[in-house]
Amino acid sequence: MTGTTATVAERLAVLRRQQAFAAADEAALAGLIAVRPPERMPRPDPVWDDAAVLVHEVVGERYRRLVLASATIATTALAGQFLMITVPPALGERILLPRPMAIHRRHPEQGTVEVIYGVAGRGTTALVDVGVGERLLVTGPLGRGFEFPDAAGPDAAGPRPARTALMIGRGVGVCAIMGSVEDAARLGIDATVVLSGRSRANLIGSADCAELGATVIPVTDDDGSSALAALGERLRGLFAGAPPDVILVCGAGVLARLAAELGAEWGVPVQVSLEAHMACGLGYCHGCAAPVATDPAVEGPLVCVDGPVFDAVLPAG
Amino acid sequence: MTIAPPMPPTDARRAFFDARRAFEAVNLSVRIGSLTLANPVMPASGCFGPALGRLIPVAELGAVVTKTVFGTPRGGNAAHRLTELRAGMVNSVGIPSRGAAGYLAAQHPLYLALGVPVIVSVGGHRPGEYAPVVRGLRGAGDAYELNVSCPNLDRHGTDIGSDPDAIGTVVQAVRRETDKPLIVKLPVLVSSIADCAQAAEAAGADAVCVANSIPALPLTADTRSPVLGNVIGGLSGPNIRPVVLRLVWLAARAVDIPVIACGGIETADDALDYFSVGARAVQVGTASFGRPFAMVEIIRALQERCEGAAAADIAELIELWRA
Ligand SMILES: Cc1cc2nc3c(=O)[nH]c(=O)nc-3n(C[C@H](O)[C@H](O)[C@H](O)COP(=O)(O)OP(=O)(O)OC[C@H]3O[C@@H](n4cnc5c(N)ncnc54)[C@H](O)[C@@H]3O)c2cc1C
Ligand SMILES: Cc1cc2nc3c(=O)[nH]c(=O)nc-3n(C[C@H](O)[C@H](O)[C@H](O)COP(=O)(O)O)c2cc1C
Ligand code: FES
């Protein structure tokens, strides 16, 4: 779109659309986010490790997959937790801050975890140069992940464990929910996973979902199926009369809002994983303020320790 | 959904804890007023938290320094609060604080449990706000670091620490509250660092810390709009080292009290640069984010350097180079 033949007016229009989209995506979270109640499971202690890079390969058109060896992290990480990855100095580039990355897959038997990243800015561009056999400094597992809350039982029967889940991921946001797809497979929870991306060649997670026995709904921008209205109608139709017990979402503010709307209609809880610029990942630098309006005299929640997973609840009214 | 591992797996962190060894012939201890630190390496304010105690052997540090505590609770700035540019990292965290009472209740016990001296960083928006915070801390902490790199609301927002008179006012007022060692943490943008350091010394400070981060304005690469919610923030990291090195050199020539260097320190060599221009201790900030164990690595390397050169301390090591 921004090729050299485009006029200034055309390029400006594209940029403005991108900016408007980014602003709308941020605005969609307004009033939506709440810190989750204390988790039922104790959180594992994070460690740092010199993780050997076992695989580093291109995935689709825009992403790369890393398989990292760290037995401690692989055996303790909970669904939806993340790592801080320190990017080693590349040719001419020093990356000071570690980059937060979702733990896409856990393989405790092999002592490995998988991460998928998109090449976006300086940090991820420098990460591309890390070779198989080299070591990456990683800290984790970090943050509060997704949980399957008990569902309200019929009448007075009381709560019961979740049986079905709808998960929605877009772009690299899919990585944050894949741990929950793993958990669902182990717990016998029926998982329906919406994978959203620009095009079929850019969808993350199809093979993982197939392996884990989850039902996939691929939606893309190029055929319009990822458009919010279309996706909303499709999900309302699919779950008519039998809503999922929980909705987990990551990757776009507008998708979190759609999920919160569906959750309100169906009366089911919604959890969303958020991103923020981070330095420490441990809660002490106070760099990762969550988009939650609070009293100016009180610090709001931090994405790295109070999240990255929050409840998404439609504001009243 | 915790999967209990059959055997606790080992990781690089554990190996790092185990690699500690004693250096009998080396003495890295340093005095800050009445306080003796086992070695001269400590975190920079805002770049450390008790949570690091699980990741690094904090007991090996000379001291820990808290995030700046203000008298009344503050929320902190809007997102984004930090970013990274080619020039370094820029933060505009805005110093969220629970106030002195909140710090005492929620944070101080966690710092105390670390088992090393705790230096509490204290902030204010007016020269008169520092002493009440120290009073509110009710004796908690082994020393106080007065973060005077804060806009002075009594003087149209010029930094308190760029005004030698204001520095004197702050230190004298705090001195009346406590006998504990006082460190004055100076800003980078001052017309004379020597005047500022001397004002602190004359008013009864036991050390100066040089320096805080450097005011900066980061823009996005594509639209050249501000990255930070607060528009401006503080630049830190290795690129500020030569700038701060000059300031430390100037300050160390101007005062007899110890100068604690802070700015871009990542390795023992960086620390030795500062020691060689007169610093008596060092603080490590940004480097800990990417390498949480950086401070401990520096301490161990300083000990090894001294041992390798058969020097009893850092002063002897530097003398040996010069000879
Ligand atoms: C909990 C969490 C999980 C994440 N999981 C993934 C993942 O699985 N795969 C993936 O590709 N990316 C993920 N991200 C985003 C990732 O951390 C990178 O920051 C982002 O890809 C930007 O890449 P960069 O470092 O090349 O950008 P740069 O331009 O080099 O970044 C400059 C600064 O901005 C910050 N920044 C820029 N964009 C983002 C962003 N979207 N989110 C957070 N910080 C940003 C960087 O951390 C850095 O401080 C995650 C972020 C969070 C908070
Ligand atoms: C995220 C962050 C938070 C900081 N918070 C404080 C603070 O609360 N009080 C203070 O005096 N300095 C604060 N600083 C400044 C550091 O203590 C230090 O002076 C500065 O970062 C330079 O050192 P460095 O290059 O080693 O990081 C902060 C720096 C960073 C990066
Ligand atoms: S990243 Fe440091 S507090 Fe969240």
Side-chain angles (χ1 to χ4, degrees):
Chain A
M1 290 295 156
T2 54
T4 45
T5 51
T7 65
V8 168
E10 281 166 348
R11 279 180 288 160
L12 268 176
V14 170
L15 272 175
R16 297 240 160 83
R17 237 178 295 137
Q18 284 171 354
Q19 280 170 5
F21 184 83
D25 205 58
E26 216 180 294
L29 289 175
L32 209 64
I33 303 304
V35 175
R36 305 209 57 241
E39 54 259 274
R40 290 172 298 178
M41 291 297 194
R43 263 188 275 176
D45 257 345
V47 301
W48 56 268
D49 210 349
D50 280 320
V53 177
L54 303 182
V55 177
H56 193 179
E57 64 184 11
V58 174
V59 178
E61 287 171 1
R62 315 177 50 222
Y63 303 114
R64 270 157 217 267
R65 188 170 76 108
L66 282 166
V67 179
L68 304 172
S70 172
T72 312
I73 294 172
T75 49
T76 58
L78 304 177
Q81 287 194 302
F82 67 97
L83 303 173
M84 291 297 267
I85 300 186
T86 299
V87 184
L91 284 177
E93 272 288 26
R94 276 291 320 278
I95 305 296
L96 304 179
L97 297 180
R99 297 297 194 257
M101 293 283 168
I103 300 172
H104 175 63
R105 296 293 306 268
R106 301 158 291 171
H107 304 292
E109 357 33 78
Q110 281 112 315
T112 62
V113 290
E114 291 181 37
V115 165
I116 296 181
Y117 67 93
V119 180
R122 287 176 64 242
T124 46
T125 302
L127 199 55
V128 168
D129 292 337
V130 174
V132 171
E134 288 176 41
R135 283 173 184 273
L136 271 181
L137 175 56
V138 294
T139 304
L142 297 164
R144 306 182 58 187
F146 288 112
E147 284 183 307
F148 292 117
D150 283 345
D155 306 322
R160 58 161 176 82
R163 288 190 204 119
T164 56
L166 168 61
M167 313 189 195
I168 308 173
R170 178 169 170 88
V172 287
V174 168
C175 304
I177 62 172
M178 200 54 69
S180 296
V181 182
E182 290 176 340
D183 283 356
R186 205 175 36 252
L187 297 167
I189 293 172
D190 192 354
T192 303
V193 185
V194 175
L195 300 177
S196 173
R198 288 194 199 169
S199 66
R200 281 284 178 142
N202 278 315
L203 284 189
I204 293 175
S206 308
D208 301 285
C209 286
E211 177 202 323
L212 295 164
T215 307
V216 173
I217 303 178
V219 297
T220 57
D221 302 353
D222 54 7
D223 66 5
S225 54
S226 64
L228 282 182
L231 179 59
E233 277 328 295
R234 189 162 167 190
L235 293 173
R236 284 182 181 95
L238 191 66
F239 288 97
D245 289 331
V246 62
I247 310 176
L248 313 180
V249 57
C250 181
V254 288
L255 282 177
R257 186 142 208 115
L258 171 64
E261 282 164 13
L262 293 174
E265 284 169 37
W266 296 336
V268 301
V270 180
Q271 295 168 19
V272 55
S273 181
L274 298 182
E275 288 190 358
H277 293 197
M278 292 185 179
C280 73
L282 292 161
Y284 67 80
C285 80
H286 298 266
C288 63
V292 181
T294 50
D295 176 338
V298 179
E299 180 174 27
L302 297 170
V303 172
C304 71
V305 283
D306 299 310
V309 175
F310 294 87
D311 281 332
V313 187
L314 274 193
Chain B
M1 249 53 63
T2 323
I3 312 147
M7 278 239 302
T10 146
D11 46 68
R13 171 204 58 159
R14 183 160 311 172
F16 188 83
F17 271 80
D18 293 345
R20 178 179 197 173
R21 72 179 183 88
F23 293 83
E24 260 92 36
V26 180
N27 178 5
L28 291 191
S29 71
V30 57
R31 285 183 68 89
I32 309 288
S34 56
L35 182 65
T36 301
L37 310 183
N39 68 66
V41 181
M42 63 190 98
S45 174
C47 305
F48 179 87
L52 268 176
R54 312 288 307 182
L55 292 180
I56 62 167
V58 171
E60 290 183 46
L61 302 179
V64 291
V65 182
T66 71
K67 180 142 192 77
T68 301
V69 178
F70 282 80
T72 47
R74 294 160 40 106
N77 286 329
H80 300 302
R81 288 179 174 180
L82 50 83
T83 192
E84 176 175 351
L85 311 168
R86 212 165 245 113
M89 84 167 281
V90 188
N91 88 84
S92 66
V93 171
I95 317 198
S97 171
R98 302 162 191 243
Y103 168 80
L104 279 185
Q107 293 281 299
H108 193 63
L110 303 176
Y111 279 103
L112 273 184
L114 298 172
V116 285
V118 179
I119 299 174
V120 183
S121 171
V122 168
H125 305 295
R126 299 185 157 83
E129 286 183 10
Y130 289 76
V133 180
V134 171
R135 195 180 317 136
L137 288 169
R138 292 195 254 124
D142 299 292
Y144 301 105
E145 181 174 274
L146 308 176
N147 173 8
V148 291
S149 313
C150 305
N152 182 351
L153 298 184
D154 285 347
R155 289 278 310 270
H156 317 295
T158 52
D159 269 9
I160 294 172
S162 63
D163 173 357
D165 293 340
I167 293 172
T169 307
V170 169
V171 175
Q172 276 165 10
V174 174
R175 186 78 293 167
R176 282 194 287 273
E177 296 293 336
T178 179
D179 292 333
K180 295 200 172 161
L182 299 180
I183 303 161
V184 178
K185 184 170 179 187
L186 297 171
V188 167
L189 298 186
V190 295
S191 47
S192 165
I193 196 84
D195 288 353
C196 294
Q198 282 170 352
E201 182 176 46
D206 298 282
V208 289
C209 174
V210 179
N212 218 302
S213 53
I214 305 180
L217 167 52
L219 296 181
T220 60
D222 46 4
T223 61
R224 284 168 176 96
S225 41
V227 181
L228 301 176
N230 187 50
V231 183
I232 56 170
L235 179 71
S236 61
N239 288 350
I240 76 170
R241 211 164 52 230
V243 175
V244 180
L245 198 62
R246 167 185 170 273
L247 293 175
V248 168
W249 176 66
L250 289 170
R253 284 152 43 117
V255 293
D256 293 327
I257 53 176
V259 176
I260 304 171
C262 177
I265 297 172
E266 300 183 299
T267 64
D269 275 306
D270 301 338
L272 286 166
D273 280 355
Y274 280 111
F275 289 124
S276 75
V277 299
R280 231 82 72 75
V282 292
Q283 294 185 346
V284 178
T286 304
S288 295
F289 298 133
R291 298 165 56 80
F293 44 81
M295 289 180 286
V296 177
E297 251 183 10
I298 290 171
I299 295 163
R300 292 177 181 178
L302 289 174
Q303 290 169 324
E304 275 162 26
R305 295 290 183 85
C306 289
E307 189 185 61
D313 54 27
I314 290 171
E316 263 190 35
L317 182 68
I318 290 170
E319 248 175 78
L320 280 169
W321 288 344
R322 299 233 157 103

